[in-house]
Amino acid sequence: MLMSSTVKQTQQLSPNHGLFSLRGALLTLAILTLLSFTFLSLKYSTPSPQVPITKFSFSFFFQLKKIEKKINFWVSKISVAKLVDPEVKEHNDEEEGGEELSDIYHSPRVFKLNYAEMMEKFKVYIYPDGDPKTFYQTPRKLTGKYASEGYFFQNIRESRFRTLDPDQAHLFFIPISCHKMRGKGTSYDNMTIIVQNYVEGLIAKYPYWNRTLGADHFFVTCHDVGVRATEGLPFLIKNTIRAVCSPSYDVGFIPHKDVALPQVLQPFALPAGGNDIENRTNLGFWAGHRNSKIRVILARVWENDTELDISNNRISRATGHLVYQKRFYKTKFCICPGGSQVNSARIADSIHYGCIPVILSNYYDLPFNDIVDWRKFAVVLKESDVYQLKQILKNISHAEFVSLHNNLVKIQKHFQWNTPPISYDAFHMVMYDLWLRHYTIKY
């Protein structure tokens, strides 16, 4: 019985406990070994009278510290292989190979370990207050170019990350939908009042905001109206984590605090593009409204070019079914200039259809920029590069284009929203960004 109990207790020990035991055992063995050699050395040799006992003690201590450093080094190596949730380990082993990750992620090993830890530990508390029939708890819809907000609202409620115990939460979600307000025709001034009253009600009712002044709280808004609705609330903008589709300086976006939410047009009208390099005979493509300075310049300079397919207006549906989407399949590089804001659903369209996105913006904190290396699957330019656009694209060799395209196919899953969510999809990548942000919060 005693042996059975001991075995059972051993099986319940955590990986960290095992590592500490290993470190202690190795260190104890090293001390005993060092003492043994020291004893034998003193026994069978005559110490010089010039060597004081203090020097011997210091030498002994120095050797011991060297051994301890080596033990710590090897134990840290072993700790990388700590146990994780079997479901998470399966995703890591089957979906993400080490070699494959190295092409597109800043630090593939760190990403894999942190992602596994997030899946195992991350907990978010959703405030239950607010009438779900108005602007709270539920999204407006899951279609269109602002569907990212709706998908997040739905997925977070049904995900493994949600906790009903606020004391277990790493972050707190403020579930108010500015997109839904727009659908009901609410004015910007009234939106600001609604948001302010709601958040102040949460602050008065619960103790969690005051612990960090809102630093461990976040809200999600993809529509530009969400930026307008909250810009008059500095305590919300400066303190909370904002997951927004408009990550530009002129709306007060703070990269190390806020999260760039990918703006994705859902559902995609056609299947994902990939392994179709030979069909991409057009050099570049863009069609859209001229609602920004850079788009006006792009259209004026290149609309009559024979190698760049540039249209200064949206393609009319009268020309054929899904003509706009089918252009992506035939093109190597799809131009993505900012509109009224730097964000554009065109970037996610380009990625989905296998067309290398050409980011044309002086500032855009690209989605998942701290996780993936955009220059491995996109062309990132300044707005002043628009005048040399064709030459820049023509200077990209075929081998470089193939590499960009292959990497693009690898990251397509990160820009796909699903319900229920799938590992490594857009929802999980946003959650991973939030998980990284929570580490900086101290209270």
Side-chain angles (χ1 to χ4, degrees), residues 176-197:
I176 187 165
S177 175
C178 297
H179 190 200
K180 201 170 182 181
M181 292 184 202
R182 178 180 172 84
K184 292 183 177 292
T186 310
S187 68
Y188 289 122
D189 289 340
N190 286 337
M191 286 182 192
T192 303
I193 294 172
I194 291 170
V195 175
Q196 181 173 0
N197 290 341

mmCIF file of all heavy atoms in Angstrom, residues 176-197:
data_model
loop_
_atom_site.group_PDB
_atom_site.id
_atom_site.type_symbol
_atom_site.label_atom_id
_atom_site.label_comp_id
_atom_site.label_asym_id
_atom_site.label_seq_id
_atom_site.Cartn_x
_atom_site.Cartn_y
_atom_site.Cartn_z
ATOM 1 N N ILE A 176 -19.317 45.006 -26.085
ATOM 2 C CA ILE A 176 -20.241 45.973 -26.658
ATOM 3 C C ILE A 176 -19.912 46.136 -28.144
ATOM 4 O O ILE A 176 -18.760 46.307 -28.524
ATOM 5 C CB ILE A 176 -20.171 47.324 -25.918
ATOM 6 C CG1 ILE A 176 -21.254 48.261 -26.427
ATOM 7 C CG2 ILE A 176 -18.782 47.938 -25.982
ATOM 8 C CD1 ILE A 176 -21.479 49.465 -25.521
ATOM 9 N N SER A 177 -20.930 46.031 -29.008
ATOM 10 C CA SER A 177 -20.719 46.024 -30.455
ATOM 11 C C SER A 177 -21.100 47.363 -31.081
ATOM 12 O O SER A 177 -22.286 47.688 -31.205
ATOM 13 C CB SER A 177 -21.543 44.898 -31.096
ATOM 14 O OG SER A 177 -21.431 44.946 -32.506
ATOM 15 N N CYS A 178 -20.082 48.131 -31.457
ATOM 16 C CA CYS A 178 -20.334 49.394 -32.155
ATOM 17 C C CYS A 178 -20.896 49.142 -33.551
ATOM 18 O O CYS A 178 -21.655 49.955 -34.089
ATOM 19 C CB CYS A 178 -19.045 50.201 -32.242
ATOM 20 S SG CYS A 178 -18.377 50.681 -30.639
ATOM 21 N N HIS A 179 -20.527 48.016 -34.130
ATOM 22 C CA HIS A 179 -21.048 47.657 -35.449
ATOM 23 C C HIS A 179 -22.565 47.482 -35.394
ATOM 24 O O HIS A 179 -23.297 47.873 -36.313
ATOM 25 C CB HIS A 179 -20.374 46.367 -35.920
ATOM 26 C CG HIS A 179 -20.644 46.025 -37.353
ATOM 27 N ND1 HIS A 179 -20.492 44.754 -37.851
ATOM 28 C CD2 HIS A 179 -21.051 46.776 -38.400
ATOM 29 C CE1 HIS A 179 -20.795 44.753 -39.140
ATOM 30 N NE2 HIS A 179 -21.134 45.957 -39.497
ATOM 31 N N LYS A 180 -23.034 46.897 -34.310
ATOM 32 C CA LYS A 180 -24.470 46.684 -34.155
ATOM 33 C C LYS A 180 -25.196 48.017 -33.969
ATOM 34 O O LYS A 180 -26.326 48.188 -34.419
ATOM 35 C CB LYS A 180 -24.720 45.770 -32.956
ATOM 36 C CG LYS A 180 -26.071 45.067 -32.980
ATOM 37 C CD LYS A 180 -26.124 44.001 -31.899
ATOM 38 C CE LYS A 180 -27.447 43.253 -31.955
ATOM 39 N NZ LYS A 180 -27.529 42.228 -30.903
ATOM 40 N N MET A 181 -24.546 48.972 -33.311
ATOM 41 C CA MET A 181 -25.139 50.305 -33.159
ATOM 42 C C MET A 181 -25.337 50.956 -34.519
ATOM 43 O O MET A 181 -26.359 51.581 -34.779
ATOM 44 C CB MET A 181 -24.231 51.192 -32.297
ATOM 45 C CG MET A 181 -24.121 50.784 -30.854
ATOM 46 S SD MET A 181 -23.108 51.986 -29.957
ATOM 47 C CE MET A 181 -22.582 51.005 -28.573
ATOM 48 N N ARG A 182 -24.344 50.814 -35.382
ATOM 49 C CA ARG A 182 -24.445 51.404 -36.714
ATOM 50 C C ARG A 182 -25.626 50.816 -37.474
ATOM 51 O O ARG A 182 -26.349 51.512 -38.186
ATOM 52 C CB ARG A 182 -23.153 51.177 -37.499
ATOM 53 C CG ARG A 182 -23.191 51.719 -38.923
ATOM 54 C CD ARG A 182 -21.864 51.450 -39.626
ATOM 55 N NE ARG A 182 -21.945 51.802 -41.041
ATOM 56 C CZ ARG A 182 -21.759 53.023 -41.512
ATOM 57 N NH1 ARG A 182 -21.497 54.012 -40.680
ATOM 58 N NH2 ARG A 182 -21.835 53.266 -42.809
ATOM 59 N N GLY A 183 -25.826 49.504 -37.302
ATOM 60 C CA GLY A 183 -26.938 48.845 -37.982
ATOM 61 C C GLY A 183 -28.291 49.366 -37.530
ATOM 62 O O GLY A 183 -29.275 49.299 -38.272
ATOM 63 N N LYS A 184 -28.359 49.899 -36.314
ATOM 64 C CA LYS A 184 -29.620 50.441 -35.792
ATOM 65 C C LYS A 184 -29.711 51.959 -35.996
ATOM 66 O O LYS A 184 -30.632 52.596 -35.460
ATOM 67 C CB LYS A 184 -29.758 50.091 -34.310
ATOM 68 C CG LYS A 184 -29.957 48.593 -34.079
ATOM 69 C CD LYS A 184 -30.158 48.286 -32.598
ATOM 70 C CE LYS A 184 -30.430 46.805 -32.383
ATOM 71 N NZ LYS A 184 -31.726 46.371 -32.912
ATOM 72 N N GLY A 185 -28.748 52.535 -36.724
ATOM 73 C CA GLY A 185 -28.816 53.949 -37.058
ATOM 74 C C GLY A 185 -28.479 54.898 -35.925
ATOM 75 O O GLY A 185 -28.872 56.077 -35.944
ATOM 76 N N THR A 186 -27.727 54.432 -34.931
ATOM 77 C CA THR A 186 -27.354 55.285 -33.803
ATOM 78 C C THR A 186 -26.316 56.311 -34.241
ATOM 79 O O THR A 186 -25.363 55.979 -34.961
ATOM 80 C CB THR A 186 -26.776 54.436 -32.658
ATOM 81 O OG1 THR A 186 -27.669 53.350 -32.385
ATOM 82 C CG2 THR A 186 -26.576 55.260 -31.405
ATOM 83 N N SER A 187 -26.469 57.563 -33.813
ATOM 84 C CA SER A 187 -25.511 58.614 -34.169
ATOM 85 C C SER A 187 -24.207 58.412 -33.403
ATOM 86 O O SER A 187 -24.178 57.739 -32.360
ATOM 87 C CB SER A 187 -26.081 59.998 -33.846
ATOM 88 O OG SER A 187 -26.190 60.181 -32.444
ATOM 89 N N TYR A 188 -23.113 59.032 -33.896
ATOM 90 C CA TYR A 188 -21.818 58.889 -33.242
ATOM 91 C C TYR A 188 -21.851 59.434 -31.817
ATOM 92 O O TYR A 188 -21.274 58.838 -30.899
ATOM 93 C CB TYR A 188 -20.730 59.601 -34.050
ATOM 94 C CG TYR A 188 -20.383 58.904 -35.344
ATOM 95 C CD1 TYR A 188 -20.489 59.554 -36.566
ATOM 96 C CD2 TYR A 188 -19.931 57.582 -35.331
ATOM 97 C CE1 TYR A 188 -20.167 58.909 -37.753
ATOM 98 C CE2 TYR A 188 -19.613 56.928 -36.515
ATOM 99 C CZ TYR A 188 -19.730 57.598 -37.723
ATOM 100 O OH TYR A 188 -19.416 56.953 -38.890
ATOM 101 N N ASP A 189 -22.505 60.565 -31.619
ATOM 102 C CA ASP A 189 -22.577 61.157 -30.279
ATOM 103 C C ASP A 189 -23.290 60.218 -29.307
ATOM 104 O O ASP A 189 -22.852 60.032 -28.164
ATOM 105 C CB ASP A 189 -23.294 62.508 -30.327
ATOM 106 C CG ASP A 189 -22.467 63.581 -31.012
ATOM 107 O OD1 ASP A 189 -21.226 63.390 -31.099
ATOM 108 O OD2 ASP A 189 -23.033 64.589 -31.473
ATOM 109 N N ASN A 190 -24.384 59.632 -29.765
ATOM 110 C CA ASN A 190 -25.129 58.714 -28.903
ATOM 111 C C ASN A 190 -24.340 57.417 -28.652
ATOM 112 O O ASN A 190 -24.449 56.827 -27.577
ATOM 113 C CB ASN A 190 -26.494 58.388 -29.507
ATOM 114 C CG ASN A 190 -27.474 59.536 -29.375
ATOM 115 O OD1 ASN A 190 -27.322 60.385 -28.496
ATOM 116 N ND2 ASN A 190 -28.463 59.585 -30.250
ATOM 117 N N MET A 191 -23.576 56.982 -29.665
ATOM 118 C CA MET A 191 -22.736 55.795 -29.469
ATOM 119 C C MET A 191 -21.754 56.017 -28.329
ATOM 120 O O MET A 191 -21.570 55.142 -27.469
ATOM 121 C CB MET A 191 -21.947 55.489 -30.753
ATOM 122 C CG MET A 191 -22.765 54.898 -31.870
ATOM 123 S SD MET A 191 -21.669 54.544 -33.267
ATOM 124 C CE MET A 191 -22.881 54.203 -34.540
ATOM 125 N N THR A 192 -21.101 57.188 -28.341
ATOM 126 C CA THR A 192 -20.125 57.503 -27.300
ATOM 127 C C THR A 192 -20.773 57.485 -25.918
ATOM 128 O O THR A 192 -20.212 56.950 -24.959
ATOM 129 C CB THR A 192 -19.486 58.876 -27.564
ATOM 130 O OG1 THR A 192 -18.878 58.875 -28.861
ATOM 131 C CG2 THR A 192 -18.426 59.190 -26.522
ATOM 132 N N ILE A 193 -21.972 58.032 -25.823
ATOM 133 C CA ILE A 193 -22.691 58.066 -24.544
ATOM 134 C C ILE A 193 -23.051 56.652 -24.098
ATOM 135 O O ILE A 193 -22.905 56.289 -22.920
ATOM 136 C CB ILE A 193 -23.965 58.934 -24.669
ATOM 137 C CG1 ILE A 193 -23.572 60.394 -24.919
ATOM 138 C CG2 ILE A 193 -24.826 58.813 -23.419
ATOM 139 C CD1 ILE A 193 -24.753 61.296 -25.249
ATOM 140 N N ILE A 194 -23.499 55.826 -25.036
ATOM 141 C CA ILE A 194 -23.881 54.443 -24.713
ATOM 142 C C ILE A 194 -22.675 53.665 -24.196
ATOM 143 O O ILE A 194 -22.745 52.967 -23.179
ATOM 144 C CB ILE A 194 -24.492 53.749 -25.950
ATOM 145 C CG1 ILE A 194 -25.845 54.362 -26.289
ATOM 146 C CG2 ILE A 194 -24.636 52.245 -25.705
ATOM 147 C CD1 ILE A 194 -26.401 53.909 -27.627
ATOM 148 N N VAL A 195 -21.548 53.777 -24.909
ATOM 149 C CA VAL A 195 -20.334 53.067 -24.500
ATOM 150 C C VAL A 195 -19.863 53.555 -23.132
ATOM 151 O O VAL A 195 -19.507 52.758 -22.256
ATOM 152 C CB VAL A 195 -19.218 53.243 -25.553
ATOM 153 C CG1 VAL A 195 -17.924 52.611 -25.049
ATOM 154 C CG2 VAL A 195 -19.621 52.616 -26.880
ATOM 155 N N GLN A 196 -19.856 54.874 -22.945
ATOM 156 C CA GLN A 196 -19.392 55.441 -21.680
ATOM 157 C C GLN A 196 -20.261 54.972 -20.503
ATOM 158 O O GLN A 196 -19.743 54.560 -19.465
ATOM 159 C CB GLN A 196 -19.393 56.970 -21.752
ATOM 160 C CG GLN A 196 -18.898 57.633 -20.470
ATOM 161 C CD GLN A 196 -18.757 59.142 -20.619
ATOM 162 O OE1 GLN A 196 -19.020 59.703 -21.671
ATOM 163 N NE2 GLN A 196 -18.337 59.801 -19.550
ATOM 164 N N ASN A 197 -21.571 55.027 -20.674
ATOM 165 C CA ASN A 197 -22.473 54.596 -19.595
ATOM 166 C C ASN A 197 -22.287 53.121 -19.259
ATOM 167 O O ASN A 197 -22.320 52.717 -18.088
ATOM 168 C CB ASN A 197 -23.928 54.871 -19.988
ATOM 169 C CG ASN A 197 -24.257 56.354 -20.004
ATOM 170 O OD1 ASN A 197 -23.547 57.164 -19.406
ATOM 171 N ND2 ASN A 197 -25.325 56.718 -20.696
#
